[in-house]
Amino acid sequence: MTNAQWFMLVGGLLLLMGLSSTLLKRLPITPAIVYLAAGLVVGPSVLNAFHFNPLKQSALLEVLTEVAVLISLFSAGVKMPVPFRLARWRAPLLLATVSMALTVAMVALFAYHVLGLPLGAGVLLGAIVAPTDPVLATDVQIRHPGDRDQLRFTLTCEAGMNDGSAFPFVMLGLGMLGLHHLGDMGLRWVLVDVLWASAAGVLIGVVAGMALAHLGCRLRSGPDKHALMDDFLGLGLIGVVYGLSSLAHAWGFLAVFFAAVALRQTEQKLARTRQSAVEALALDEMPRADVQAVILDAGLDTEPLPTVSEGSLIFKEHLERLSELLLVLLVGGMLFASSWSWGAVALALFLFGVARPLSVMVGLAGTRTPWRLRGITGWFGVRGIGSLYYLMYAIQHGLPEALALQLIQFTLIVVTLSILLHGVSVKPVLGRLWRVGKSADPA
């Protein structure tokens, strides 16, 4: 395809989505299905107008998917409800750790015994397809910072964390294939790839998010009343946190998600402090001097202040939609008719119908999550851009070409079927759930 044809294709899709947004809301399809259909039609499956080779273009695709996931993780993080409560986060934490590990293990065994892959390749494949996706799961994620729906919160929070918690298993699979040093008895993998990289990523993100929140509030509430560019601050936080994590050998995806969470939590905490001081002043519950001292210590004044988290959210969501369009279009351009092997389809069905539901049931055992929500959570484990990133990451780290081609085929079919199956079922299933009884968190 020529540049002019690409401009017409992407521009036409943007016009179509802009003009038919109301109609799409009434149909049992998602925007990703429209983009995928367009990619399949113009790609090698039908017209063969273009073919994107993920093996030859793995470096480019790694960067594209990396940026898309980072933006999506930030958007998910700033929409997390406040204040933070460990009891409410227990379910997604279990899903991102226990359920993640179980999914990797079951897929690895399926790949080894059914697909005939080496065990290391099976572990790598499990790590690639296990994470749920923050980019393509828009319809089952939190819609705005005030959304109190328990199902949306659980799925959004899980997707935000497991794109980072999958990394240790990616490194384990590469190590079993001789492409990464695991240490004696896997000791280095446990200490560095699991414990250090995860803890350091969370710590870097939390510290950076809190620091930006305090700095932004002080600048806005100071005598000069600085006007801040929230879009730039959000992107800057993503870049700095991800870069620091890479230098510290920590998982940057975790860092960016928790930076966004910490940013919003801290900004809301400062806002509550200011509001309490203002209310106390209005009710004469404390002397004016004490109120002013509280305000000064918080670095705030009595006027409502904008926040970086909310100010940058709309821009990030627009970038997220554009990246979804581009990358899903490319997925369609990677698929041939011959890509639909029985092994690839069987893997996808095993993942969606056995591994994901079973791992969710085990992971949430002992929690107070209603059984109906456990079942829906077990089904809506959308796979997408994150899986493509891990695949490209593995290829860039020396994955043999023959094995890379196999994993490309399996991953593309899993992502494609996830877009289709989860896409056509999300509106009917969630619509029925909310008609029967909303899943809103009562707390």
Side-chain angles (χ1 to χ4, degrees):
M1 292 178 63
T2 64
N3 288 342
Q5 290 172 326
W6 269 109
F7 274 107
M8 290 179 62
L9 175 61
V10 175
L13 283 173
L14 291 173
L15 288 172
L16 175 64
M17 300 306 296
L19 294 171
S20 61
S21 59
T22 301
L23 176 61
L24 284 176
K25 290 179 181 179
R26 300 171 182 170
L27 298 176
I29 60 175
T30 61
I33 293 179
V34 177
Y35 308 147
L36 178 64
L40 290 172
V41 170
V42 300
S45 295
V46 182
L47 299 178
N48 199 24
F50 91 100
H51 171 227
F52 187 87
N53 190 320
L55 187 60
K56 293 182 179 180
Q57 301 294 331
S58 58
L60 172 61
L61 190 55
E62 181 186 11
V63 173
L64 293 176
T65 53
E66 189 174 27
V67 171
V69 172
L70 288 172
I71 292 172
S72 184
L73 289 173
F74 183 88
S75 297
V78 297
K79 287 185 287 188
M80 289 293 102
V82 290
F84 173 86
R85 290 182 298 145
L86 185 59
R88 191 176 187 189
W89 280 58
R90 183 186 177 196
L93 282 169
L94 290 171
L95 291 174
T97 53
V98 176
S99 298
M100 163 69 70
L102 288 174
T103 302
V104 172
M106 285 187 281
V107 171
L109 292 175
F110 182 89
Y112 179 73
H113 291 289
V114 179
L115 303 179
L117 293 178
L119 186 58
V123 172
L124 178 59
L125 179 60
I128 289 171
V129 301
T132 55
D133 195 68
V135 182
L136 299 185
T138 305
D139 288 282
V140 293
Q141 290 190 358
I142 286 180
R143 293 176 173 174
H144 52 80
D147 193 341
R148 297 178 60 83
D149 187 86
Q150 183 181 357
L151 175 64
R152 292 186 185 278
F153 166 76
T154 300
L155 292 173
T156 306
C157 193
E158 178 198 8
M161 289 186 289
N162 69 14
D163 265 315
S165 61
F167 244 121
F169 298 103
V170 172
M171 306 314 293
L172 177 61
L174 290 175
M176 294 174 69
L177 293 171
L179 302 175
H180 177 67
H181 181 54
L182 299 177
D184 295 336
M185 304 294 293
L187 184 61
R188 183 189 182 280
W189 176 74
V190 173
L191 294 178
V192 177
D193 295 331
V194 178
L195 299 179
W196 164 256
S198 300
V202 173
L203 180 62
I204 290 172
V206 170
V207 171
M210 292 178 64
L212 179 60
H214 281 281
L215 179 60
C217 287
R218 285 192 175 274
L219 289 174
R220 280 187 163 123
S221 62
D224 296 329
K225 303 290 185 182
H226 287 281
L228 306 180
M229 299 177 65
D230 293 327
D231 294 339
F232 277 32
L233 290 175
L235 290 173
L237 181 62
I238 293 174
V240 170
V241 166
Y242 196 64
L244 285 175
S245 300
S246 298
L247 292 175
H249 303 288
W251 301 136
F253 285 173
L254 278 177
V256 168
F257 176 72
F258 279 99
V261 172
L263 173 66
R264 174 160 172 77
Q265 297 282 336
T266 305
E267 288 182 328
Q268 294 300 306
K269 182 178 180 180
L270 292 172
R272 290 193 299 270
T273 301
R274 181 180 64 251
Q275 183 62 31
S276 298
V278 171
E279 292 175 355
L281 176 60
L283 298 174
D284 291 328
E285 292 181 352
M286 60 188 300
R288 172 180 287 273
D290 293 343
V291 173
Q292 296 298 338
V294 171
I295 294 172
L296 182 61
D297 290 340
L300 304 167
D301 59 22
T302 56
E303 296 297 325
L305 296 177
T307 60
V308 176
S309 56
E310 293 184 358
S312 62
L313 181 57
I314 296 177
F315 178 64
K316 301 298 183 299
E317 289 182 334
H318 290 332
L319 291 178
E320 189 177 5
R321 291 175 185 174
L322 289 173
S323 64
E324 177 185 5
L325 185 155
L326 174 62
L327 291 170
V328 176
L329 192 63
L330 291 181
V331 169
M334 298 179 205
L335 285 169
F336 291 87
S338 59
S339 300
W340 295 86
S341 66
W342 285 109
V345 174
L347 170 66
L349 297 179
F350 174 79
L351 175 64
F352 303 151
V354 179
R356 168 69 180 181
L358 183 59
S359 67
V360 167
M361 292 300 173
V362 174
L364 296 182
T367 68
R368 296 182 178 180
T369 307
W371 285 101
R372 182 176 56 193
L373 295 187
R374 296 187 197 192
I376 297 176
T377 301
W379 170 245
F380 285 117
V382 182
R383 269 63 182 182
I385 308 306
S387 295
L388 293 179
Y389 168 74
Y390 284 122
L391 175 60
M392 297 304 109
Y393 179 90
I395 292 174
Q396 284 294 297
H397 281 71
L399 202 63
E401 182 174 335
L403 181 57
L405 290 173
Q406 283 184 292
L407 297 190
I408 288 172
Q409 179 192 18
F410 293 142
T411 304
L412 287 178
I413 296 303
V414 166
V415 171
T416 299
L417 286 178
S418 180
I419 292 173
L420 296 174
L421 296 178
H422 294 129
V424 298
S425 61
V426 59
K427 293 178 183 178
V429 172
L430 295 188
R432 183 177 183 277
L433 171 67
W434 292 322
R435 285 194 297 271
V436 173
K438 284 192 174 182
S439 61
D441 181 11

